[in-house]
Every structure is written in structure tokens, then in C-alpha cells.
Amino acid sequence: NRIVMMPMGTNYGEQNGEMSFLHINYYKERAKGGTGLIIVENASVDSPQGSNGTTQLRIDHDNYLPRLYKFCEEIHKYGTCIAIQINHAGASAVSARTNMQPVSASDIPSKEGGEIPRPLSVEEIHHIVKKYGEAAKRAQAAGFDAVEIHAGHSYLISQFLSPLTNKRTDEFGGSVENRTRFCRMVIEEVRKQVGPFFPIMLRLSADELMEGGNTLEDTLEYLEYIQDEVDIFDVSCGLNGSIQYQIDANYLPDGWRSYMAKAVKEKYGKPCITVGNIRDPKVAEDILARGDADLGGMGRGLIADPEWVNKVEFGNECDIRKCISCNIGCAGHRIGLNQPIRCTVNPAVNTGEDYMKHKVNKPCNVVVIGGGTAGLEAACTAAEVGCTTYLIEKKAELCGLASVISRIPDKKRLADFPNYMIHRARKLHNLFIFTNTGATAELVKSLNPDIIVNATGSVPTLPPITGLHDLVLLRVTSIDEVINLTAFLPAESALQPEGLLHTRGMAASGLRPLCNIPHCCLP
């Protein structure tokens, strides 16, 4: 199939840079889920100088081969092809983690307020080129089916390609031909090491989406100098300074970047991967049908649901747990907090649905109080392992604030999670849901609970915004009124409609269908 899992850092690696068994489980779930090609997260070609994380994978020494070989063996059991991305972080490295000053094309930080790197000497550039080739050779020896060179997203090769970070005056700076020289040397060295029949992919920021940076037209020009030995273009976009496009914000539509892949494909006639908030199978199919790209790349979507491909293939699209592009557990945990990745909508990133293999061995009644997303998750999980489960919700509508907030236009992607949870709940015959029902002591006691789950939510804090505390005294009866009330705020107020929905007493009324997914297989 044409679905590719894109390379995303996880912080699952061992401290020495070796692939962990946690890693293997994580990728195995996506292979079992039917993914056609998995591109493993970026592995450092030259540590510690080129490392971009505390537990980043390494591929700069032969002692990492045994675990990588075992990994490839495991993934290939499921018929999935597998590649690995090789990378040098350059100025995106952090000295607090590497104990070294970052390096780059010039002394320009990779982001505003970032560390100032030192420019690489010509001798150092040639050394790093060799390290890329050696890393690719190891990937081939370990059993990978292809190798991807990262030339985007403000990493070292990108720092040479971009006029924003390359201010050199030697043969590696200035003209387009000079700025592409380092990348061209890396590709040529990789080809020399792996031979003519091993696929080389190149990930690039086709449009840097920053003033003074490479535009799509610029990229189409510079690819003339580096495209000869590339077999597949992985067409991404953005730099650290435009990260809302690199790691797509939730308001960006499904598949919005596909025009970039189309431009590269039309000019160079080589297979292209497109990425960008691809959540809806129909969007993915349309991209292929239009010929915009040859492969559909999914990253966070496969963190949220490793079974995405199988569910689409076998007609179970209603069961997809779609990524809501919140960027909290995947990007925020890893980049902001330097923690292993998690997922807001998938509590079992590494283990998938293995918990359902372990059923209760005696009758067990579970009562869940509160029908928000947390309450539904608890209730569904309990029912799926065999408990007789009762969910009590005092309102007419399930999924709480998540359902209400999703009616704001820029938050509409959030609706995918309530829809999924309600659909999942309705399929469970041992889960009984009471709406418009208060959880009195008498009711709870009558259900003979062995376990009681309190999922009644929280009371958000009101921010200190001028006029807000007076505004919350008004009665709100519909989502339209909530949005319209922003007109009454003082001009200096920075409050957004979604902020209003978080305040006490401002719950919108009105019923919604229990499952509003188009063409749902349930009534």
C-alpha cells in the first residue's frame, strides 16, 4: 500500500543511543497495523556533536548494528518495508545535552534565541560527509530496505541549503550551486557506500515558509544540483521558525501540503511522499488519484491509531482513532519537556490493544461517574476487558467540553475524538449509559459496584482578562451566543472564543447525534 509512517523522534532510545525494546514494540504495532513503509526516526551520524536529543538513536558505530538487525527482522515479519533516517542536527543540537558548542554552516542560530553555533571548517565538512556514507552502509547491513537523508527542518544540511542560515563566503556558501554542495556531497557519498540498487530518499523543506528563506520555486531550482542519485523525495516544509507548518497546527486542513509534492514530482518525475495532517482516508485517496504524490505520509496519525491502515482496508473507518493535532504528547513532551512521547487520544502508544487479551476472570461491576472523554475512556476500557460497566452523565450530551469546543471552526478537528469515543462505546453490549441522570448515592449503590471511577472533570481557572468576570454572569444558551459574546469584550481583550467555553457556567445547550460520523456503520 501507499501509506508511509514518517520519522518522528520518540525519546524511547537507550541512553547510549541503542534502539530499545520499547522502540521495537512501538514500531511493531504500526507494522501489525498494516503500514506499507516505516521510516524510523532520525539516527545520529556523528554523536555527540550531531545529536539532537538525550536518547536519540545512533548509527555512527558498528556496535549499534545487532539491535538494529533484530529490529529489522521483527518488522519484516509483518510484510512492512522499513527505512531509517540519518541525520546531523547541526545548530539544532543542545550544548546542555552534548557538552559541545553546536556547529553549522555559519554562526546563525537555528531558531530565534537559540544557541550560537560555530561555523564548520572545510575539513570538518568532509569528515561529516564520510560519516553520512558510513551510517548508510550500516543501515544497509542491518537489513533496512532504504535510507533517508534529512535535508530539512533546520538540521545541518538544511542549514547549508537555506539562505537564512548559510552566510559562508567559500565554496559552500553564496550561490545556489555552492549552498547545495554539502548536500550533494552527502548524497554522492551515500550512493558510493550503498551501491546503485539501494533506494535513497531525501527529506526536504520544500518551502521554508519564512521571510528570506527558500520558497517552493527556490527549492525546485536547487534540486537540479542534488536530484540525480535520489530515488524518492519526501516533501515536507518549514523550519524551526515556522514550526506550526512543520508540525502541522490543528487548524490546517487534511493534506494541505500536497501541492508541494506535486510541484516536485511534475518537474523531476520521481516518486514523492506528501505529508500534512492526513487523517481522513478519502483525502489520502484523493491525493493519490489526482497524482499529487505517490505515497501518503502519516506521522502523528499513526501514533494515535497504529491500526489506521487495517481499519481503512477492511472497511472499518468509523473505528479510526484520529489524531486531533494537539501536539501535546508527541511534540510537547519530546521537544518541550525532553520526555518520551505520549498521545492525548491513545493511552497505549507502545502496546496497542494488547490489554484486551487480558479479560476479568470473575464478574465485576464498574460504575463510571461522568461522561466526558476521560469517563468514556475508562468505561470503554472496563467493558472491553469484560466488566459490566455503567456510565452516568448528568447532561444530555456525552464527551463534555471536548464536544462543545469542537464546534468552534478552528477547533473542529477536536470533534474526531468525541465521535470516536461515542462510536466505540455504542458497540459494547456490556456498557450501559445513563444520560440526563445525576449520580446519586442511591443510584450508584443500586448498581452493586466493585469499582467506582470518578470522572466528573474539573473547574477551569478564569484568566485575568478585562471584562471577563463580568461577562460570565450572562446566560449562554447556544454555541453561537458564546462566539457572538466576544463582540462585547473590551478592545484590548485577548480572549478567544474557546476561552469562553472553558469558563464556569458556560456550557452550550442542545443535543447532538450520538455518532455523527458520515456513513457510520451503526444506526
Side-chain angles (χ1 to χ4, degrees):
N1 64 66
R2 303 297 184 93
I3 298 298
V4 182
M5 181 178 181
M6 305 314 295
M8 299 167 291
T10 60
N11 274 349
Y12 287 157
E14 302 287 4
Q15 192 63 44
N16 65 352
E18 190 172 36
M19 176 167 273
S20 69
F21 287 101
L22 192 65
H23 254 135
I24 294 176
N25 289 341
Y26 166 75
Y27 286 111
K28 190 187 295 185
E29 287 298 320
R30 280 78 199 163
K32 285 163 58 178
T35 306
L37 167 66
I38 291 173
I39 307 176
V40 173
E41 64 205 75
N42 71 98
S44 173
V45 301
D46 191 14
S47 287
Q49 183 193 73
S51 174
N52 71 325
T54 51
T55 59
Q56 183 191 8
L57 290 178
R58 291 176 61 175
I59 195 167
D60 57 339
H61 196 280
D62 287 351
N63 61 1
Y64 299 108
L65 281 173
R67 188 68 58 83
L68 291 172
Y69 182 86
K70 169 68 174 174
F71 168 69
C72 290
E73 227 178 17
E74 289 295 314
I75 299 302
H76 281 143
K77 289 178 182 178
Y78 301 96
T80 299
C81 294
I82 187 161
I84 189 168
Q85 186 184 80
I86 56 176
N87 187 37
H88 190 296
S92 290
V94 179
S95 63
R97 301 173 186 174
T98 65
N99 291 319
M100 302 176 73
Q101 182 184 9
V103 297
S104 185
S106 305
D107 58 353
I108 310 295
S110 68
K111 61 182 178 182
E112 187 175 350
E115 292 185 66
I116 296 176
R118 67 170 179 82
L120 287 163
S121 68
V122 173
E123 292 74 22
E124 288 176 311
I125 290 171
H126 284 276
H127 168 77
I128 293 171
V129 167
K130 290 289 185 183
K131 298 294 283 187
Y132 270 99
E134 292 166 1
K137 185 66 175 177
R138 290 188 189 98
Q140 186 180 40
F144 287 96
D145 300 296
V147 67
E148 177 171 277
I149 300 167
H150 201 337
H153 298 174
S154 291
Y155 292 117
L156 184 60
I157 296 178
S158 167
Q159 291 156 24
F160 273 84
L161 292 173
S162 177
L164 290 171
T165 47
N166 188 342
K167 306 298 182 182
R168 299 177 74 99
T169 57
D170 61 5
E171 68 267 35
F172 292 98
S175 68
V176 173
E177 182 179 5
N178 284 355
R179 283 188 285 113
T180 58
R181 191 180 306 279
F182 175 52
C183 183
R184 185 165 67 251
M185 290 168 60
V186 167
I187 295 169
E188 289 171 353
E189 181 64 24
V190 167
R191 177 59 73 202
K192 176 183 172 183
Q193 293 288 340
V194 300
F197 305 115
F198 191 72
I200 297 174
M201 300 188 287
L202 185 73
R203 180 160 235 202
L204 51 101
S205 291
D207 192 330
E208 295 178 349
L209 297 168
M210 291 186 67
E211 186 176 352
N214 285 318
T215 64
L216 179 58
E217 290 71 25
D218 295 329
T219 298
L220 293 175
E221 179 187 355
Y222 80 59
L223 287 179
E224 290 277 6
Y225 295 94
I226 59 178
Q227 62 94 25
D228 287 347
E229 294 297 339
V230 176
D231 298 294
I232 299 175
F233 286 113
D234 178 356
V235 185
S236 184
C237 70
L239 301 177
N240 286 343
S242 52
I243 199 166
Q244 72 273 25
Y245 302 111
Q246 180 194 138
I247 306 176
D248 311 79
N250 61 358
Y251 55 80
L252 294 168
D254 278 40
W256 68 276
R257 304 188 204 179
S258 66
Y259 72 94
M260 301 181 195
K262 180 179 182 180
V264 174
K265 181 182 175 182
E266 285 181 346
K267 179 158 186 179
Y268 293 102
K270 295 189 176 185
C272 288
I273 305 171
T274 190
V275 293
N277 269 351
I278 298 174
R279 310 285 181 253
D280 189 330
K282 179 67 165 58
V283 171
E285 187 67 26
D286 288 346
I287 288 171
L288 295 176
R290 292 195 306 267
D292 288 5
D294 305 279
L295 301 159
M298 294 181 61
R300 295 164 298 162
L302 289 170
I303 295 177
D305 195 338
E307 290 282 333
W308 193 95
V309 176
N310 283 344
K311 289 175 180 178
V312 174
E313 181 178 1
F314 297 109
N316 299 317
E317 293 180 20
C318 293
D319 295 326
I320 296 174
R321 185 197 291 109
K322 291 182 180 177
C323 168
I324 58 174
S325 300
C326 66
N327 295 328
I328 297 171
C330 51
H333 270 234
R334 180 179 62 85
I335 300 172
L337 302 176
N338 199 28
Q339 295 175 352
I341 64 165
R342 294 292 184 264
C343 180
T344 298
V345 300
N346 179 12
V349 172
N350 299 95
T351 56
E353 297 180 347
D354 284 355
Y355 70 92
M356 284 197 266
K357 298 175 184 176
H358 305 285
K359 306 293 185 182
V360 293
N361 54 20
K362 62 180 181 180
C364 179
N365 287 356
V366 175
V367 175
V368 179
I369 303 171
T373 51
L376 274 168
E377 181 67 47
C380 289
T381 302
E384 285 162 348
V385 298
C387 301
T388 300
T389 307
Y390 305 93
L391 176 68
I392 304 170
E393 168 55 48
K394 68 180 179 181
K395 295 180 181 178
E397 185 177 46
L398 294 173
C399 286
L401 279 173
S403 182
V404 176
I405 294 167
S406 67
R407 299 175 208 177
I408 295 172
D410 277 356
K411 299 288 185 182
K412 63 184 179 181
R413 193 178 291 279
L414 184 61
D416 288 334
F417 189 45
N419 291 341
Y420 161 77
M421 290 304 305
I422 293 168
H423 174 79
R424 176 180 166 195
R426 292 187 68 202
K427 296 198 302 180
L428 297 167
H429 302 296
N430 56 333
L431 171 56
F432 305 93
I433 298 176
F434 302 87
T435 54
N436 286 317
T437 305
T440 64
E442 291 75 19
L443 174 59
V444 173
K445 187 175 181 180
S446 71
L447 299 173
N448 300 314
D450 297 291
I451 298 171
I452 299 173
V453 178
N454 176 11
T456 53
S458 60
V459 179
T461 301
L462 289 177
I465 297 173
T466 304
L468 175 61
H469 290 253
D470 295 328
L471 193 62
V472 296
L473 299 176
L474 299 174
R475 179 177 176 80
V476 182
T477 58
S478 73
I479 188 68
D480 294 326
E481 288 186 58
V482 172
I483 296 172
N484 290 338
L485 276 173
T486 56
F488 293 98
L489 289 174
E492 69 271 17
S493 174
L495 185 66
Q496 297 297 316
E498 58 265 36
L500 285 172
L501 290 173
H502 279 82
T503 59
R504 187 201 299 265
M506 286 197 168
S509 64
L511 298 177
R512 299 176 75 195
L514 273 182
C515 187
N516 63 2
I517 304 174
H519 315 301
C520 179
C521 55
L522 292 176

